[in-house]
Amino acid sequence: MKILFMGTPDFAVPILDTLSKKHQIVAVATQPDRPKGRGKGMAFSPVKEYALSLSLPVLQPEKVKDDAFVEKITALGADIFVVVAYGQILPSYILQIPPLGCINIHASLLPKYRGAAPMQRAILNGDKVTGITIMYMDKGMDTGDMILKKNLDIEDSDRFANIHDKMSTLSCECIIEALDQIAAGTAVRVPQNNEEATYAPMLTKEDGLINWKKSTSQIINQVRALDPWPGTYTYYDGQMLKVWDCAFYEKIASDAQPGEVIENGSHLAVKTGDGILSITMVQGQGGKRMSTADYLRGRAIDVGKVLG
């Protein structure tokens, strides 16, 4: 099968690798090179780097609606377009180009978590199961008919980084199975129930701010979901303090208010909306990640102070 692959981030790289071993990749479309780092040098997307290592043609339109890009992908003669975390919305006339359609790999069990950040939102919400959906694309955002879905358990110890990698690996399995079904003419089209749809909007830095009135489990899930970006943080004496690792703490402090520090030393124990959170790894403003014990050797965070 001849495939135009459209993707951009690390998540898509193993999928491109898997497809290249079984199908003909006629070209790879990815986002344009962007400034990165303090020097603002132009950086390739992870997918572009990998595509070049395979000597695949790379297309990088600023806008997919550009006539020149549409002409190029039409002339490729691809049987199908495979899209994963590409970063631009495809108009309906592009979706109609390949004879077998455009299919998308989405990192949730649709119709749950349509949108840009489904994996993070699943962890944030304390879900125990997530998964991959392969679907035909239509003009809506993640609204197309589904071909197949596969589940993935979320363990209490899972953070975004390892869920990301597990989901990418599962995607490789799913896309090969879906393409085999399409080639054999056995692929199903299961419409989504729009009444059951939920949304996973793009994350912002503000999503990382801790609301100490929330439950301990909600804050732990926030830390798990937002590592490495945007990171979970609070403030002490006007300075940002990022929280990178934390756990439940059994001590009771019924008289404390949410955000109040009740212990310091080997860790920080902070009152939440329903209990106590033990913070074991932090990062001060302008500093590096370190154990809370090491941080507190250089800067005191007083018992009785309220973080916020």
Side-chain angles (χ1 to χ4, degrees):
M1 192 177 290
K2 294 192 293 184
I3 296 172
L4 169 63
F5 184 84
M6 305 181 76
T8 297
D10 290 326
F11 184 86
V13 170
I15 302 164
L16 174 58
D17 176 68
T18 297
L19 289 173
S20 70
K21 293 173 180 175
K22 188 166 182 179
H23 296 278
Q24 180 185 353
I25 309 297
V26 295
V28 172
T30 190
Q31 289 296 293
D33 302 342
R34 303 294 188 199
K36 186 176 181 180
R38 293 184 178 179
K40 299 299 181 183
M42 299 301 287
F44 294 172
S45 75
V47 162
K48 178 179 178 178
E49 288 189 356
Y50 196 75
L52 292 176
S53 76
L54 299 178
S55 299
L56 295 172
V58 175
L59 307 174
Q60 295 180 274
E62 283 288 346
K63 295 182 179 180
V64 292
K65 295 180 180 180
D66 289 346
D67 290 342
F69 175 70
V70 175
E71 289 175 6
K72 284 181 181 179
I73 62 175
T74 302
L76 290 171
D79 300 307
I80 196 166
F81 295 176
V82 175
V83 182
V84 50
Y86 174 55
Q88 294 192 52
I89 296 174
L90 304 185
S92 57
Y93 55 84
I94 286 182
L95 300 180
Q96 295 168 6
I97 291 173
L100 296 180
C102 296
I103 61 174
N104 177 253
I105 301 171
H106 188 73
S108 79
L109 299 173
L110 290 171
K112 192 173 187 178
Y113 299 135
R114 294 173 176 172
M119 291 181 281
Q120 295 97 325
R121 298 291 175 183
I123 300 171
L124 272 169
N125 292 336
D127 292 0
K128 298 301 182 183
V129 178
T130 184
I132 294 296
T133 303
I134 309 294
M135 66 173 184
Y136 287 103
M137 298 178 70
D138 62 15
K139 63 181 180 180
M141 179 181 290
D142 303 324
T143 57
D145 292 347
M146 301 175 291
I147 301 170
L148 63 83
K149 296 197 282 190
K150 291 199 175 183
N151 292 5
L152 178 74
D153 291 338
I154 302 177
E155 306 296 338
D156 290 342
S157 59
D158 282 331
R159 290 172 172 256
F160 169 71
N162 57 306
I163 286 294
H164 170 281
D165 293 348
K166 290 178 185 179
M167 293 278 273
S168 181
T169 299
L170 182 60
S171 296
C172 297
E173 175 186 329
C174 291
I175 191 60
I176 292 300
E177 185 175 335
L179 289 173
D180 286 347
Q181 292 176 8
I182 290 169
T186 59
V188 298
R189 298 188 72 117
V190 179
Q192 295 186 41
N193 184 344
N194 292 325
E195 293 182 358
E196 296 178 354
T198 61
Y199 294 87
M202 186 177 297
L203 295 169
T204 67
K205 289 183 179 180
E206 289 72 24
D207 288 312
L209 179 62
I210 296 173
N211 177 355
W212 290 105
K213 294 180 181 179
K214 290 187 175 181
S215 69
T216 307
S217 61
Q218 286 177 309
I219 296 170
I220 290 172
N221 291 341
Q222 185 179 10
V223 172
R224 294 167 56 216
L226 305 186
D227 180 0
W229 195 90
T232 306
Y233 59 92
T234 188
Y235 287 93
Y236 178 75
D237 284 349
Q239 296 288 306
M240 180 184 287
L241 181 70
K242 286 197 171 183
V243 176
W244 292 115
D245 207 3
C246 57
F248 291 95
Y249 190 46
E250 295 301 325
K251 186 168 181 176
I252 298 173
S254 58
D255 294 335
Q257 61 178 301
E260 184 174 337
V261 177
I262 65 167
E263 284 184 14
N264 59 11
S266 61
H267 70 152
L268 278 177
V270 183
K271 182 70 172 68
T272 68
D274 69 349
I276 306 296
L277 184 72
S278 173
I279 300 173
T280 55
M281 183 170 290
V282 297
Q283 181 179 353
Q285 193 163 311
K288 299 179 179 179
R289 292 194 195 197
M290 63 181 67
S291 71
T292 302
D294 286 344
Y295 180 84
L296 292 174
R297 290 189 186 99
R299 176 170 181 171
I301 297 182
D302 299 328
V303 171
K305 288 285 189 176
V306 177
L307 306 180

